Amino acid sequence: MTKGTVSKQTRNNWLIDAAVFIGALVAAITGIYFLFLPSGGYQGGRNPMYGITILFGRHTWDDLHTWFGALMIAAVAIHFAIHRSWVKGTAKRMAKSVTGKGARMNQHGYFNVAIDAAVAIGFLLAAISGVYFMFAGSGRAADPRFIFSRTTWDLIHTWSGVAMIVAAVIHFAIHWRWVTKVTAKVFRSLKPQPTPTGEAVAGQMGA
């Protein structure tokens, strides 16, 4: 492998991470839209944002939130399946460190694990509640009251999403140098390589 190139495995991992990032970014932006432009109210009522259109209609925003959220869930499932050995190993090292049965992790290691756990828990709660809304319907449909009320599910979805976004931003900032380095290598590897000239080929054959 030449200097500056990436392996096929690294490139595939980057593509999966890129799908997670794009899905999370669009889901976050559309989630913020719904957070600040709630659907309730009527013209002239208490909701001053009622009827305001930003770029798209509300139905389009809802579709973007749903399907990019589904993309994120699928990409995260693949990501977890690929890295399940790393997750298990990290969990075991963390448990041994806490119980004193193994090498003690430093503060940086604890902080990284805590941020990763916050991202994972926030994602899990947001994904489960998001799937609930996909099948339970909007607020206008009858409340199926599956485990919780629709209002409780909405609160879980909203604030777990907020927690996930905050933790993910911190995670991204911590690994910023690695992300930019690998991204640059991936884009360089995608560029078509120049074909050698006839003189270069002849020189290589005569060497």
Short mmCIF file of all heavy atoms in Angstrom, two decimals, residues 85-127:
data_model
loop_
_atom_site.label_atom_id
_atom_site.label_comp_id
_atom_site.label_asym_id
_atom_site.label_seq_id
_atom_site.Cartn_x
_atom_site.Cartn_y
_atom_site.Cartn_z
N SER A 85 -16.83 -6.56 18.29
CA SER A 85 -15.70 -7.09 19.06
C SER A 85 -15.03 -5.96 19.84
O SER A 85 -14.65 -6.14 21.01
CB SER A 85 -14.69 -7.76 18.14
OG SER A 85 -15.27 -8.88 17.49
N TRP A 86 -14.88 -4.80 19.20
CA TRP A 86 -14.27 -3.65 19.88
C TRP A 86 -15.14 -3.19 21.04
O TRP A 86 -14.64 -2.86 22.12
CB TRP A 86 -14.06 -2.51 18.90
CG TRP A 86 -13.46 -1.28 19.53
CD1 TRP A 86 -12.14 -1.00 19.68
CD2 TRP A 86 -14.18 -0.18 20.11
NE1 TRP A 86 -11.98 0.20 20.32
CE2 TRP A 86 -13.21 0.72 20.59
CE3 TRP A 86 -15.53 0.11 20.26
CZ2 TRP A 86 -13.56 1.92 21.23
CZ3 TRP A 86 -15.88 1.30 20.91
CH2 TRP A 86 -14.91 2.19 21.38
N VAL A 87 -16.46 -3.18 20.82
CA VAL A 87 -17.40 -2.75 21.88
C VAL A 87 -17.31 -3.70 23.08
O VAL A 87 -17.23 -3.26 24.23
CB VAL A 87 -18.84 -2.70 21.35
CG1 VAL A 87 -19.83 -2.44 22.48
CG2 VAL A 87 -18.98 -1.63 20.26
N LYS A 88 -17.29 -5.01 22.80
CA LYS A 88 -17.19 -6.00 23.88
C LYS A 88 -15.87 -5.85 24.63
O LYS A 88 -15.82 -5.90 25.86
CB LYS A 88 -17.33 -7.41 23.32
CG LYS A 88 -18.72 -7.76 22.82
CD LYS A 88 -18.75 -9.19 22.28
CE LYS A 88 -20.13 -9.56 21.77
NZ LYS A 88 -20.16 -10.95 21.21
N GLY A 89 -14.78 -5.69 23.88
CA GLY A 89 -13.47 -5.55 24.49
C GLY A 89 -13.37 -4.31 25.37
O GLY A 89 -12.83 -4.36 26.48
N THR A 90 -13.93 -3.19 24.87
CA THR A 90 -13.91 -1.95 25.65
C THR A 90 -14.74 -2.08 26.91
O THR A 90 -14.35 -1.60 27.99
CB THR A 90 -14.42 -0.77 24.79
OG1 THR A 90 -13.60 -0.64 23.62
CG2 THR A 90 -14.38 0.52 25.58
N ALA A 91 -15.90 -2.72 26.79
CA ALA A 91 -16.77 -2.92 27.96
C ALA A 91 -16.08 -3.77 29.02
O ALA A 91 -16.16 -3.48 30.22
CB ALA A 91 -18.08 -3.56 27.53
N LYS A 92 -15.36 -4.82 28.57
CA LYS A 92 -14.64 -5.69 29.52
C LYS A 92 -13.51 -4.93 30.20
O LYS A 92 -13.30 -5.06 31.42
CB LYS A 92 -14.09 -6.91 28.79
CG LYS A 92 -15.16 -7.92 28.38
CD LYS A 92 -14.53 -9.11 27.67
CE LYS A 92 -15.61 -10.13 27.28
NZ LYS A 92 -15.02 -11.29 26.55
N ARG A 93 -12.76 -4.13 29.42
CA ARG A 93 -11.66 -3.35 30.01
C ARG A 93 -12.20 -2.34 31.00
O ARG A 93 -11.60 -2.10 32.06
CB ARG A 93 -10.86 -2.64 28.91
CG ARG A 93 -9.98 -3.57 28.10
CD ARG A 93 -8.96 -2.78 27.29
NE ARG A 93 -9.59 -1.85 26.36
CZ ARG A 93 -9.95 -2.18 25.13
NH1 ARG A 93 -9.74 -3.41 24.68
NH2 ARG A 93 -10.50 -1.27 24.34
N MET A 94 -13.35 -1.72 30.66
CA MET A 94 -13.96 -0.75 31.55
C MET A 94 -14.39 -1.42 32.86
O MET A 94 -14.16 -0.88 33.95
CB MET A 94 -15.18 -0.13 30.85
CG MET A 94 -15.87 0.97 31.65
SD MET A 94 -14.88 2.47 31.70
CE MET A 94 -16.05 3.57 32.52
N ALA A 95 -15.01 -2.60 32.75
CA ALA A 95 -15.48 -3.31 33.94
C ALA A 95 -14.31 -3.72 34.82
O ALA A 95 -14.35 -3.58 36.05
CB ALA A 95 -16.29 -4.54 33.53
N LYS A 96 -13.22 -4.21 34.22
CA LYS A 96 -12.05 -4.62 34.99
C LYS A 96 -11.38 -3.42 35.65
O LYS A 96 -10.87 -3.50 36.77
CB LYS A 96 -11.06 -5.34 34.08
CG LYS A 96 -11.51 -6.73 33.64
CD LYS A 96 -10.47 -7.38 32.75
CE LYS A 96 -10.93 -8.79 32.34
NZ LYS A 96 -9.92 -9.44 31.46
N SER A 97 -11.39 -2.28 34.95
CA SER A 97 -10.79 -1.08 35.51
C SER A 97 -11.58 -0.57 36.71
O SER A 97 -11.00 -0.18 37.73
CB SER A 97 -10.71 0.03 34.44
OG SER A 97 -10.22 1.23 34.97
N VAL A 98 -12.90 -0.60 36.60
CA VAL A 98 -13.76 -0.12 37.69
C VAL A 98 -13.66 -1.03 38.90
O VAL A 98 -13.62 -0.56 40.06
CB VAL A 98 -15.22 0.00 37.21
CG1 VAL A 98 -16.15 0.30 38.39
CG2 VAL A 98 -15.35 1.10 36.16
N THR A 99 -13.62 -2.34 38.67
CA THR A 99 -13.58 -3.31 39.78
C THR A 99 -12.17 -3.55 40.31
O THR A 99 -11.99 -4.26 41.30
CB THR A 99 -14.19 -4.65 39.34
OG1 THR A 99 -13.46 -5.16 38.20
CG2 THR A 99 -15.65 -4.49 38.98
N GLY A 100 -11.15 -2.97 39.65
CA GLY A 100 -9.78 -3.13 40.09
C GLY A 100 -9.16 -4.45 39.70
O GLY A 100 -8.12 -4.84 40.25
N LYS A 101 -9.77 -5.18 38.75
CA LYS A 101 -9.25 -6.47 38.34
C LYS A 101 -8.35 -6.40 37.10
O LYS A 101 -7.91 -7.42 36.60
CB LYS A 101 -10.41 -7.43 38.06
CG LYS A 101 -11.27 -7.73 39.29
CD LYS A 101 -12.40 -8.68 38.95
CE LYS A 101 -13.25 -8.99 40.19
NZ LYS A 101 -14.37 -9.91 39.87
N GLY A 102 -8.12 -5.20 36.63
CA GLY A 102 -7.29 -5.04 35.45
C GLY A 102 -6.59 -3.70 35.48
O GLY A 102 -6.66 -2.96 36.46
N ALA A 103 -5.92 -3.36 34.36
CA ALA A 103 -5.22 -2.08 34.26
C ALA A 103 -6.23 -0.94 34.36
O ALA A 103 -7.30 -0.98 33.74
CB ALA A 103 -4.47 -2.02 32.94
N ARG A 104 -5.88 0.06 35.14
CA ARG A 104 -6.80 1.17 35.36
C ARG A 104 -6.75 2.14 34.18
O ARG A 104 -5.67 2.55 33.74
CB ARG A 104 -6.46 1.89 36.65
CG ARG A 104 -7.49 2.94 37.04
CD ARG A 104 -7.27 3.43 38.46
NE ARG A 104 -8.28 4.40 38.85
CZ ARG A 104 -9.49 4.07 39.28
NH1 ARG A 104 -9.82 2.80 39.38
NH2 ARG A 104 -10.36 5.00 39.61
N MET A 105 -7.90 2.51 33.67
CA MET A 105 -7.97 3.47 32.57
C MET A 105 -7.70 4.87 33.09
O MET A 105 -8.03 5.20 34.23
CB MET A 105 -9.36 3.42 31.91
CG MET A 105 -9.70 2.10 31.24
SD MET A 105 -11.40 2.07 30.57
CE MET A 105 -11.29 3.33 29.30
N ASN A 106 -7.10 5.70 32.24
CA ASN A 106 -6.87 7.09 32.64
C ASN A 106 -8.14 7.92 32.46
O ASN A 106 -9.15 7.43 31.94
CB ASN A 106 -5.69 7.70 31.86
CG ASN A 106 -5.92 7.63 30.34
OD1 ASN A 106 -7.04 7.67 29.87
ND2 ASN A 106 -4.82 7.52 29.61
N GLN A 107 -8.09 9.18 32.88
CA GLN A 107 -9.27 10.04 32.82
C GLN A 107 -9.73 10.26 31.39
O GLN A 107 -10.94 10.33 31.13
CB GLN A 107 -8.97 11.38 33.49
CG GLN A 107 -8.78 11.29 35.00
CD GLN A 107 -8.58 12.65 35.64
OE1 GLN A 107 -8.38 13.65 34.95
NE2 GLN A 107 -8.63 12.69 36.96
N HIS A 108 -8.77 10.36 30.46
CA HIS A 108 -9.14 10.54 29.05
C HIS A 108 -9.92 9.34 28.54
O HIS A 108 -10.91 9.49 27.81
CB HIS A 108 -7.87 10.75 28.22
CG HIS A 108 -8.13 10.99 26.76
ND1 HIS A 108 -8.67 12.16 26.29
CD2 HIS A 108 -7.94 10.18 25.67
CE1 HIS A 108 -8.79 12.08 24.97
NE2 HIS A 108 -8.36 10.89 24.57
N GLY A 109 -9.49 8.14 28.94
CA GLY A 109 -10.20 6.92 28.52
C GLY A 109 -11.60 6.86 29.09
O GLY A 109 -12.56 6.52 28.38
N TYR A 110 -11.75 7.21 30.38
CA TYR A 110 -13.07 7.24 31.00
C TYR A 110 -13.99 8.24 30.30
O TYR A 110 -15.17 7.97 30.07
CB TYR A 110 -12.96 7.60 32.48
CG TYR A 110 -12.61 6.45 33.39
CD1 TYR A 110 -11.49 6.50 34.20
CD2 TYR A 110 -13.41 5.30 33.43
CE1 TYR A 110 -11.15 5.44 35.04
CE2 TYR A 110 -13.08 4.24 34.27
CZ TYR A 110 -11.96 4.32 35.07
OH TYR A 110 -11.65 3.27 35.89
N PHE A 111 -13.42 9.40 29.96
CA PHE A 111 -14.22 10.45 29.32
C PHE A 111 -14.70 9.99 27.95
O PHE A 111 -15.87 10.19 27.58
CB PHE A 111 -13.41 11.73 29.19
CG PHE A 111 -14.17 12.89 28.61
CD1 PHE A 111 -15.15 13.53 29.35
CD2 PHE A 111 -13.92 13.32 27.31
CE1 PHE A 111 -15.86 14.60 28.81
CE2 PHE A 111 -14.63 14.38 26.76
CZ PHE A 111 -15.59 15.03 27.52
N ASN A 112 -13.82 9.37 27.18
CA ASN A 112 -14.19 8.86 25.85
C ASN A 112 -15.30 7.82 25.94
O ASN A 112 -16.27 7.85 25.16
CB ASN A 112 -12.98 8.25 25.15
CG ASN A 112 -12.15 9.28 24.39
OD1 ASN A 112 -12.65 10.34 24.04
ND2 ASN A 112 -10.89 8.96 24.16
N VAL A 113 -15.16 6.89 26.90
CA VAL A 113 -16.17 5.85 27.07
C VAL A 113 -17.50 6.47 27.50
O VAL A 113 -18.57 6.06 27.02
CB VAL A 113 -15.70 4.81 28.11
CG1 VAL A 113 -16.84 3.84 28.44
CG2 VAL A 113 -14.50 4.03 27.58
N ALA A 114 -17.45 7.48 28.39
CA ALA A 114 -18.68 8.13 28.85
C ALA A 114 -19.39 8.83 27.69
O ALA A 114 -20.62 8.75 27.56
CB ALA A 114 -18.35 9.14 29.96
N ILE A 115 -18.62 9.52 26.83
CA ILE A 115 -19.23 10.20 25.67
C ILE A 115 -19.82 9.18 24.70
O ILE A 115 -20.94 9.35 24.19
CB ILE A 115 -18.18 11.09 24.96
CG1 ILE A 115 -17.78 12.25 25.86
CG2 ILE A 115 -18.73 11.61 23.64
CD1 ILE A 115 -18.91 13.18 26.23
N ASP A 116 -19.07 8.10 24.42
CA ASP A 116 -19.58 7.06 23.53
C ASP A 116 -20.86 6.44 24.09
O ASP A 116 -21.81 6.15 23.34
CB ASP A 116 -18.52 5.97 23.32
CG ASP A 116 -17.34 6.46 22.50
OD1 ASP A 116 -17.46 7.52 21.87
OD2 ASP A 116 -16.29 5.78 22.50
N ALA A 117 -20.89 6.22 25.41
CA ALA A 117 -22.08 5.64 26.04
C ALA A 117 -23.26 6.60 25.94
O ALA A 117 -24.40 6.18 25.69
CB ALA A 117 -21.80 5.32 27.51
N ALA A 118 -23.00 7.91 26.10
CA ALA A 118 -24.07 8.91 25.99
C ALA A 118 -24.64 8.93 24.57
O ALA A 118 -25.86 9.02 24.38
CB ALA A 118 -23.55 10.29 26.39
N VAL A 119 -23.74 8.85 23.58
CA VAL A 119 -24.20 8.80 22.18
C VAL A 119 -25.04 7.56 21.95
O VAL A 119 -26.12 7.62 21.33
CB VAL A 119 -22.99 8.82 21.21
CG1 VAL A 119 -23.47 8.60 19.77
CG2 VAL A 119 -22.25 10.14 21.31
N ALA A 120 -24.57 6.41 22.44
CA ALA A 120 -25.26 5.14 22.22
C ALA A 120 -26.64 5.12 22.89
O ALA A 120 -27.63 4.71 22.27
CB ALA A 120 -24.41 3.98 22.74
N ILE A 121 -26.70 5.57 24.15
CA ILE A 121 -27.99 5.56 24.87
C ILE A 121 -28.96 6.56 24.25
O ILE A 121 -30.14 6.25 24.05
CB ILE A 121 -27.76 5.89 26.36
CG1 ILE A 121 -26.96 4.77 27.03
CG2 ILE A 121 -29.10 6.08 27.09
CD1 ILE A 121 -26.50 5.09 28.44
N GLY A 122 -28.46 7.76 23.91
CA GLY A 122 -29.32 8.75 23.27
C GLY A 122 -29.86 8.25 21.94
O GLY A 122 -31.05 8.40 21.63
N PHE A 123 -28.96 7.62 21.15
CA PHE A 123 -29.39 7.06 19.87
C PHE A 123 -30.42 5.97 20.05
O PHE A 123 -31.43 5.92 19.34
CB PHE A 123 -28.18 6.51 19.10
CG PHE A 123 -28.57 5.60 17.97
CD1 PHE A 123 -29.02 6.12 16.77
CD2 PHE A 123 -28.51 4.21 18.13
CE1 PHE A 123 -29.40 5.26 15.74
CE2 PHE A 123 -28.87 3.37 17.10
CZ PHE A 123 -29.32 3.89 15.90
N LEU A 124 -30.19 5.06 21.01
CA LEU A 124 -31.10 3.94 21.22
C LEU A 124 -32.50 4.42 21.59
O LEU A 124 -33.50 3.96 21.02
CB LEU A 124 -30.54 3.03 22.31
CG LEU A 124 -31.30 1.72 22.57
CD1 LEU A 124 -31.27 0.84 21.32
CD2 LEU A 124 -30.69 0.97 23.76
N LEU A 125 -32.57 5.38 22.51
CA LEU A 125 -33.88 5.90 22.93
C LEU A 125 -34.56 6.66 21.79
O LEU A 125 -35.77 6.53 21.57
CB LEU A 125 -33.72 6.80 24.15
CG LEU A 125 -33.30 6.10 25.45
CD1 LEU A 125 -33.05 7.13 26.55
CD2 LEU A 125 -34.37 5.10 25.89
N ALA A 126 -33.77 7.46 21.05
CA ALA A 126 -34.35 8.21 19.93
C ALA A 126 -34.82 7.27 18.83
O ALA A 126 -35.87 7.50 18.21
CB ALA A 126 -33.31 9.20 19.38
N ALA A 127 -34.05 6.20 18.58
CA ALA A 127 -34.43 5.25 17.54
C ALA A 127 -35.69 4.48 17.92
O ALA A 127 -36.61 4.32 17.11
CB ALA A 127 -33.28 4.27 17.28
#
